[in-house]
């Protein structure tokens, strides 16, 4: 029986996945490193430093640890500038409706995001107070596909992992939810992922509450 739903943030509830791409693209262009939307698929759900390592696979020089830290900081400064003007219009279709429908039925809801910027984004788009728990990149050591962030969210909610449903737009996030022993709904960019228990192009295409009832 599903007692809690844990949402990824970027690309599931808000459009910030695109801002991550734009910020990395600017940094990669400045460094003369080939980067495009196809490579970006591998960055979804993955931590900042691991994302950088993936981008640097195409670099034709090697970077020291200090240089890598500077590149990641530069990308983050571009990203922070992009998200500082976020408003509720950045919420993806169906996000607010889904969250509110679950809350109304007494389902616990949480955020499970790899991003260290998650608290800022939640505040900016005005949904910070809707969640019973927030687990994000500031609190975990191992990023998705490790199960850490979702296990932490379940622990904060005090709900057993087997009774949680994860909503993800990243293959790494689908893997993370499965590794945590949770049910997984894959949406958006991950909607073709056959490992997930459930798939939908967008949150508007699925009645989560109806599906949860079938699991009882
Ligand atoms: C995830 C995004 O939510 O957060 C990744 O899907 C991103 O693209 C990761 O790299 C880390 O984000 P941040 O904000 O800590 O750099
Ligand atoms: Mg995501």
């Amino acid at each position: 029986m599903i007692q809690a739903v844990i949402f990824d943030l970027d690309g599931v509830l808000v459009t910030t996945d695109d801002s991550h791409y734009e910020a990395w693209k600017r940094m990669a262009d400045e460094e003369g490193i080939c980067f495009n939307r196809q490579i970006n698929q591998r960055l979804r759900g993955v931590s900042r430093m691991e994302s950088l390592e993936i981008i640097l696979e195409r670099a034709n020089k090697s970077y020291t640890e200090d240089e890598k830290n500077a590149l990641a900081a530069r990308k983050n400064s571009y990203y922070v500038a992009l998200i500082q003007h976020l408003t509720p219009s950045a919420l993806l279709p169906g996000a607010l409706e889904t969250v509110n429908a679950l809350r109304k039925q007494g389902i616990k809801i949480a955020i499970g995001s790899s991003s260290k910027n998650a608290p800022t984004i939640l505040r900016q788009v005005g949904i910070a107070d809707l969640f019973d728990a927030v687990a994000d990149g500031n609190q975990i050591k191992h990023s998705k596909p490790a199960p850490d962030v979702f296990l932490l969210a379940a622990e904060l909610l005090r709900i057993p992992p087997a009774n949680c449903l994860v909503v993800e737009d990243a293959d790494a996030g689908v893997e993370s939810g499965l590794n945590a022993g949770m049910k997984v709904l894959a949406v958006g960019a991950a909607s073709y992922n056959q490992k997930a228990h459930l798939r939908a192009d967008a949150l508007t295409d699925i009645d989560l509450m109806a599906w949860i009832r079938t699991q009882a």
Side-chain angles (χ1 to χ4, degrees):
M1 162 170 184
I2 300 297
Q3 296 173 298
V5 177
I6 309 173
F7 292 90
D8 171 52
L9 183 63
D10 300 318
V12 168
L13 296 178
V14 287
T15 56
T16 42
D17 53 330
D18 216 53
S19 305
H20 276 295
Y21 170 73
E22 277 181 41
W24 280 126
K25 177 71 181 149
R26 182 171 167 195
M27 187 228 80
D29 284 353
E30 286 167 355
E31 291 299 307
I33 303 169
C34 164
F35 181 60
N36 55 35
R37 286 194 181 269
Q38 197 189 335
I39 302 168
N40 187 58
Q41 287 298 97
R42 291 175 58 205
L43 272 51
R44 286 181 184 272
V46 172
S47 72
R48 196 179 305 165
M49 291 312 287
E50 285 164 308
S51 297
L52 176 66
E53 291 295 346
I54 293 170
I55 291 174
L56 293 185
E57 286 171 10
R58 311 227 164 196
N60 38 31
K61 61 170 256 199
S62 58
Y63 291 83
T64 66
E65 281 313 302
D66 283 351
E67 286 169 338
K68 286 180 186 177
N69 287 334
L71 291 180
R74 199 202 305 167
K75 179 267 175 176
N76 192 53
S77 73
Y78 297 155
Y79 180 67
V80 168
L82 288 171
I83 62 169
Q84 76 173 344
H85 301 298
L86 276 190
T87 66
S89 67
L91 284 164
L92 280 160
L96 207 53
E97 293 80 354
T98 303
V99 163
N100 284 331
L102 295 169
R103 277 167 59 89
K104 216 166 142 192
Q105 297 299 322
I107 303 287
K108 296 271 181 213
I109 55 166
I111 293 290
S113 167
S114 302
S115 175
K116 295 185 173 170
N117 291 295
T120 310
I121 294 166
L122 290 169
R123 260 197 319 275
Q124 292 273 138
V125 298
I127 58 171
D129 295 339
L130 298 181
F131 294 88
D132 300 296
V134 175
D136 64 42
N138 298 294
Q139 296 151 279
I140 48 152
K141 212 163 159 201
H142 306 289
S143 152
K144 301 167 187 178
D148 302 29
V149 79
F150 291 129
L151 289 177
L152 174 62
E155 192 184 315
L156 294 171
L157 293 173
R158 297 183 193 186
I159 304 281
N163 299 115
C164 295
L165 169 71
V166 159
V167 187
E168 261 295 345
D169 73 313
D171 289 337
V174 170
E175 210 65 53
S176 170
L178 295 175
N179 287 336
M182 300 177 179
K183 294 276 192 298
V184 180
L185 161 63
V187 295
S191 61
Y192 61 87
N193 190 312
Q194 295 300 317
K195 291 187 192 164
H197 297 88
L198 204 59
R199 283 164 289 281
D201 284 342
L203 285 173
T204 41
D205 292 341
I206 187 160
D207 182 345
L208 257 195
M209 223 26 249
W211 184 79
I212 288 171
R213 284 197 194 96
T214 67
Q215 301 294 298

